[in-house]
Amino acid sequence: FSTAFRRVVFDLCCSWSNPDSTMSAQQAGLPVWVSVSTGGLGGIFGWIWVHPMYTCSVQINLASLQNPGKKLSLPSLVTKAWNEEGVLSLYSGLPAGILRQVFYASSRLGFFQIFKDAWATHYEIDFTSRMCLASVAGGLAAYIACPCEVSLVRMSNDAALPMAARRNYKGIMDCA
């Protein structure tokens, strides 16, 4: 295993400096930048639709930790936010969510494509190898996107605090 790992790492390093050194253009398929950019854009557009529910789930989880006996429901939280601050309050923290997708979705798919190409030069790509490569790519992407995730939770929770306790973050760098 260690010899195979060293060979894949070596080919991975060579493919960064000279992409044509390990495979022909016909074997390569799509360029890596296509996977990275489409993954990032898909993650961003998907996140725009998911973000209000994510904000509600963060607020429900943190409220249940602060008040153990009190139960919040999704409809009551949405109604309260809609009536008190408007529908845009559900989008608090959206820039942090978009930045998270830029780093997480893009790097996850980019790493997977690079790892898969490097692995395919020596071994057959089967289900097990895809799962392992995808797990490593996802773990690295999560590590890279962790600061964005922290700012996303902070910005999403800030809207749930009383006005006097809010931090009123001006942007992503303000709460990181």
Side-chain angles (χ1 to χ4, degrees), residues 7-78:
R7 196 176 331 152
V8 168
V9 170
F10 176 75
D11 285 344
L12 182 61
C13 294
C14 290
S15 69
W16 277 102
S17 61
N18 184 6
D20 295 330
S21 66
T22 56
M23 61 184 67
S24 68
Q26 191 173 14
Q27 289 175 320
L30 292 174
V32 174
W33 69 268
V34 173
S35 295
V36 171
S37 59
T38 56
L41 287 173
I44 288 169
F45 288 122
W47 187 257
I48 290 171
W49 291 104
V50 171
H51 185 76
M53 293 302 115
Y54 180 82
T55 300
C56 291
S57 71
V58 167
Q59 292 177 6
I60 288 172
N61 287 335
L62 293 174
S64 67
L65 289 174
Q66 293 168 352
N67 304 318
K70 185 179 176 186
K71 292 198 176 203
L72 280 174
S73 67
L74 183 64
S76 67
L77 184 69
V78 170

Side-chain angles (χ1 to χ4, degrees), residues 95-96 99 103 147-148 150-152 154-155 168-176:
L99 188 66
F103 284 109
C148 297
V150 170
S151 61
L152 173 61
R154 286 180 180 174
M155 291 176 83
N168 296 320
Y169 297 116
K170 293 174 183 67
I172 298 164
M173 297 308 287
D174 188 33
C175 69

Side-chain angles (χ1 to χ4, degrees), residues 19-167:
D20 295 330
S21 66
T22 56
M23 61 184 67
S24 68
Q26 191 173 14
Q27 289 175 320
L30 292 174
V32 174
W33 69 268
V34 173
S35 295
V36 171
S37 59
T38 56
L41 287 173
I44 288 169
F45 288 122
W47 187 257
I48 290 171
W49 291 104
V50 171
H51 185 76
M53 293 302 115
Y54 180 82
T55 300
C56 291
S57 71
V58 167
Q59 292 177 6
I60 288 172
N61 287 335
L62 293 174
S64 67
L65 289 174
Q66 293 168 352
N67 304 318
K70 185 179 176 186
K71 292 198 176 203
L72 280 174
S73 67
L74 183 64
S76 67
L77 184 69
V78 170
T79 305
K80 179 184 170 195
W82 189 295
N83 292 336
E84 290 180 6
E85 298 178 38
V87 70
L88 292 180
S89 68
L90 296 175
Y91 280 96
S92 63
L94 183 63
I98 288 174
L99 188 66
R100 176 187 176 268
Q101 291 304 315
V102 165
F103 284 109
Y104 180 69
S106 300
S107 60
R108 179 187 49 166
L109 291 172
F111 282 143
F112 177 72
Q113 185 70 36
I114 291 167
F115 294 162
K116 185 179 74 152
D117 291 346
W119 191 264
T121 59
H122 302 289
Y123 304 101
E124 182 180 336
I125 301 289
D126 58 352
F127 179 75
T128 306
S129 62
R130 279 183 179 265
M131 289 296 294
C132 292
L133 295 172
S135 298
V136 171
L140 283 172
Y143 182 75
I144 291 169
C146 187
C148 297
E149 184 74 29
V150 170
S151 61
L152 173 61
V153 170
R154 286 180 180 174
M155 291 176 83
S156 296
N157 187 46
D158 198 43
L161 297 173
M163 284 293 211
R166 288 188 186 176
R167 293 163 187 92

